Amino acid sequence: MSEFHGDQQSHGAEQQDAGRAQAPLSSHGTAVRSGEEALRERHVARAHSASARTRGACRCAGVEADPAAVIAVPTEAASKAANALRLSADALAALADGAPDPAADARHARNAAAASVLAAQIARSHGTGALSDAAYQAALKASQAAGLAAGKEGLGRSEVLNAEAEAAETAAVAAAEAAGWL
């Protein structure tokens, strides 16, 4: 699986190394990961990628997210951006805690992808043209695919739905880069 964004490559490698240090060793001395740990890595990678898209879209829109701007029902771009960034950060924090749980991990990745749609909407309203529209549509598709992977049919374990979510995330990153958001 290819990584979604440069920042995630180094972070993902650090997480893999940390996971190998704690994983039991096979008879050949290599680390053995459980299926749930491998699934968590995939969900974490998607969540980090979506979070990076959220930050990039907000930055590109010129919307600085002030933590004080987080309100229950945001109506202004700054409040919406702050909420999107908070939701994204909450999803990443939840993925860092506890034992791997594919269903919960997929829901957190879905939440990060959903936050990126809000940020993409803000960035699209500040940008013009087909590239901004395409980046928003790609963010929406990535969120929908993440939702399917986390839904009752997949529960974070479906290889097909996870692969579709990963492909949609990769496409969302490419569209965000083309729009100048990343």
Side-chain angles (χ1 to χ4, degrees):
M1 171 181 84
S2 66
E3 292 297 327
F4 306 115
H5 194 265
D7 292 343
Q8 285 72 37
Q9 286 179 329
S10 63
H11 184 72
E14 291 168 9
Q15 284 187 332
Q16 286 177 343
D17 291 342
R20 286 190 188 109
Q22 298 171 356
L25 297 179
S26 71
S27 60
H28 301 290
T30 58
V32 177
R33 292 185 323 203
S34 74
E36 290 187 350
E37 290 168 335
L39 285 170
R40 173 170 270 183
E41 287 178 10
R42 294 174 75 177
H43 299 310
V44 164
R46 281 199 333 269
H48 276 283
S49 179
S51 181
R53 287 189 298 109
T54 300
R55 289 187 309 273
C58 288
R59 187 173 41 252
C60 184
V63 179
E64 295 296 323
D66 176 6
V70 175
I71 60 173
V73 182
T75 56
E76 295 181 13
S79 297
K80 289 179 181 181
N83 280 7
L85 290 167
R86 181 191 50 82
L87 291 170
S88 185
D90 288 352
L92 294 178
L95 279 163
D97 290 336
D101 177 348
D105 295 345
R107 286 190 304 271
H108 297 310
R110 175 205 60 205
N111 293 346
S116 74
V117 173
L118 180 57
Q121 185 178 33
I122 295 165
R124 182 178 75 166
S125 72
H126 285 78
T128 57
L131 293 177
S132 289
D133 291 340
Y136 170 75
Q137 290 299 319
L140 188 58
K141 287 178 184 176
S143 179
Q144 291 167 338
L148 288 174
K152 72 177 188 175
E153 298 299 319
L155 293 175
R157 294 181 183 274
S158 169
E159 178 58 36
V160 171
L161 294 176
N162 285 331
E164 289 173 0
E166 290 161 354
E169 181 60 33
T170 299
V173 167
E177 288 173 342
W181 298 354
L182 292 176

